[in-house]
Amino acid sequence: MSEQDDEPRHAASPTDYVLTELQLYGYRPFADEPDPRPLPDGNRMASAIADIFDALIVTLEDTRLEPDLPGLLWSTVNVFHRAADRIERELDDNEQAQRRSQREQDGSEVKSVDLERLTAEGQTLIEHRNAFEQMRDQAAELYERHTGSAWRPRSGSMVNHKAMTSAMIDSRDFVAARKRAAQEVLLPPGPKIVVTGGLDFNDHRLIWATLDQVRAKHPDMVLMHGKSPKGAEKIASCWADHRKVPQIGFAPDWTKHAKAAPFKRNDAILEVLPIGAIVFPGTGIQDNLADKAKQLGIPVFDFRSRRGSA
C-alpha cells in the first residue's frame, strides 16, 4: 500500500471552491457585492438599439405582419421603460434599507460596513436606471422616426434622471440627494406658490386678482394646489391655464391614507417649501395647511375672513 493510499480524503477548502468557480464560470458578482464591470459603451448601445429596430422593420415591411409593426416597435421601447421602472422600485427598497441602517448605527464595524454596502448598492442602481432610461429614450426617438408618433407609456410618467446623478459622500447625502433629484425632475423651476380653499368658495374675481398680483411680483412662479374638482383650487387652476403658468396638483391619496389623506397631502405640498401660501375660506383642511405653513416660517396670505361666494 502506497503512502497516498494511507492519506485520508480531505474536504475541499473554501479557497479551492472559489478557484474552481472562477475556472468554470469566471468572475460573478454576488448580491452583496458591487459589480466592478463597466456599463455598456454609449455608442455601441445606440447602434445595437438601431439594429433591433432595423431588423424588425426590414423583416416585417411588405408582409402581412406589417400592420403589427407599430405595436412591436412600441413594445420594444417599453422593454427598456419597464426595466427602468423595476430598478426605480429597487431604489425605493434600498432607500428604506438605508434609513433603517442609519437608525441602527451603534458604532460597530458590522453596522458601518452594512450601511456602506447599501450606499454602494444604491449608487449602482442609479447608474443602472440611468442607462436603461437612456436606452429607452434612444429607442423612443427611433420609434417616432419610423412611425411619426411620439412614444408614450400606457400609464405613469416618462422621466429621465440622467442629469440628476451626482457624487454621493455618505448614506445620508445619498438619500437626501435622491429625494431632491426626484423633485427637481418633476417640479418646474421657479418660486412655488400654494393656493388652498374650500369647495364652496367661488369668488373668482378675488382669486384671479390675488394671483395676478403675485404673478406681477414673481413672473416665473409655479402654482401648487390640492387639485380639488371645484371651488377655490379649481378656479386657481383655471387661472394658471389661462395665464400659461406652470401648475402642480397634489391630489389626496384616499386609498392609502383614508380620512387623513387631505392632511397628508398638505404635508407633501409643504415639503416642497413654497415661498408663500394663499389661504381662502374653507374647512379644517385649509386651517391645517395655514398652521403648518406658519410653523415652517412660510408667509401666509389669509383670506379666511371672507365667506360666501361671488
Side-chain angles (χ1 to χ4, degrees):
M1 182 178 294
S2 65
E3 292 183 2
Q4 286 184 336
D5 294 333
D6 292 334
E7 184 71 18
R9 184 177 296 275
H10 298 284
S13 68
T15 304
D16 176 66
Y17 175 78
V18 171
L19 293 175
T20 302
E21 288 283 299
L22 287 173
Q23 289 174 341
L24 291 175
Y25 307 109
Y27 176 78
R28 293 179 302 159
F30 293 91
D32 58 347
E33 296 178 354
D35 193 336
R37 295 174 296 179
L39 291 169
D41 176 75
N43 293 330
R44 293 183 63 184
M45 190 165 61
S47 177
I49 294 171
D51 289 343
I52 293 172
F53 272 75
D54 289 341
L56 285 172
I57 293 167
V58 170
T59 304
L60 299 186
E61 271 186 338
D62 300 324
T63 72
R64 278 184 284 176
L65 296 184
E66 186 173 4
D68 298 307
L69 185 56
L72 289 174
L73 296 180
W74 184 93
S75 298
T76 302
V77 184
N78 197 48
V79 167
F80 302 113
H81 182 66
R82 291 183 61 183
D85 275 351
R86 172 182 55 80
I87 296 172
E88 184 68 23
R89 291 192 296 271
E90 292 178 9
L91 261 171
D92 290 337
D93 295 339
N94 174 269
E95 180 177 330
Q96 294 303 315
Q98 286 194 47
R99 291 185 185 278
R100 287 194 300 270
S101 183
Q102 290 168 6
R103 292 193 297 267
E104 294 170 357
Q105 291 300 304
D106 56 7
S108 67
E109 183 178 358
V110 173
K111 295 292 185 181
S112 177
V113 169
D114 183 62
L115 183 55
E116 291 174 2
R117 177 186 61 79
L118 288 170
T119 304
E121 181 183 291
Q123 292 171 336
T124 299
L125 286 171
I126 283 181
E127 293 173 351
H128 287 188
R129 179 202 61 196
N130 292 349
F132 277 114
E133 286 181 348
Q134 181 181 352
M135 287 187 276
R136 178 205 58 200
D137 292 349
Q138 291 170 341
E141 290 179 6
L142 292 170
Y143 174 86
E144 183 173 2
R145 185 184 307 168
H146 290 293
T147 66
S149 301
W151 187 90
R152 292 290 183 268
R154 297 282 189 246
S155 61
S157 302
M158 182 178 172
V159 177
N160 192 317
H161 298 77
K162 180 174 59 176
M164 299 301 166
T165 305
S166 60
M168 316 298 177
I169 298 174
D170 61 24
S171 176
R172 294 179 190 277
D173 287 344
F174 168 83
V175 172
R178 179 169 179 261
K179 188 172 183 179
R180 287 196 303 272
Q183 289 178 344
E184 289 170 4
V185 168
L186 297 174
L187 294 183
K192 312 299 187 293
I193 305 292
V194 57
V195 169
T196 184
L199 297 175
D200 298 326
F201 188 77
N202 299 313
D203 191 343
H204 61 278
R205 292 185 181 88
L206 173 64
I207 296 171
W208 278 54
T210 302
L211 290 172
D212 281 339
Q213 290 176 0
V214 174
R215 182 167 174 255
K217 186 175 182 180
H218 303 285
D220 57 342
M221 67 172 283
V222 177
L223 179 71
M224 300 194 303
H225 54 77
K227 211 173 181 180
S228 297
K230 62 178 184 177
E233 293 171 5
K234 179 64 175 179
I235 294 171
S237 177
C238 293
W239 172 88
D241 287 335
H242 188 79
R243 297 287 194 256
K244 307 300 182 185
V245 171
Q247 59 177 306
I248 308 158
F250 289 75
D253 190 341
W254 299 100
T255 302
K256 184 176 181 180
H257 299 299
K259 293 181 179 180
F263 305 102
K264 294 291 187 182
R265 184 267 316 279
N266 288 349
D267 294 339
I269 290 175
L270 295 175
E271 281 182 2
V272 182
L273 294 179
I275 65 169
I278 303 173
V279 183
F280 293 106
T283 66
I285 297 170
Q286 281 67 50
D287 298 338
N288 173 267
L289 188 143
D291 292 342
K292 289 178 176 177
K294 291 176 181 177
Q295 291 174 6
L296 293 171
I298 298 171
V300 175
F301 304 91
D302 198 340
F303 294 89
R304 281 176 290 178
S305 61
R306 302 200 182 198
R307 301 291 172 181
S309 60

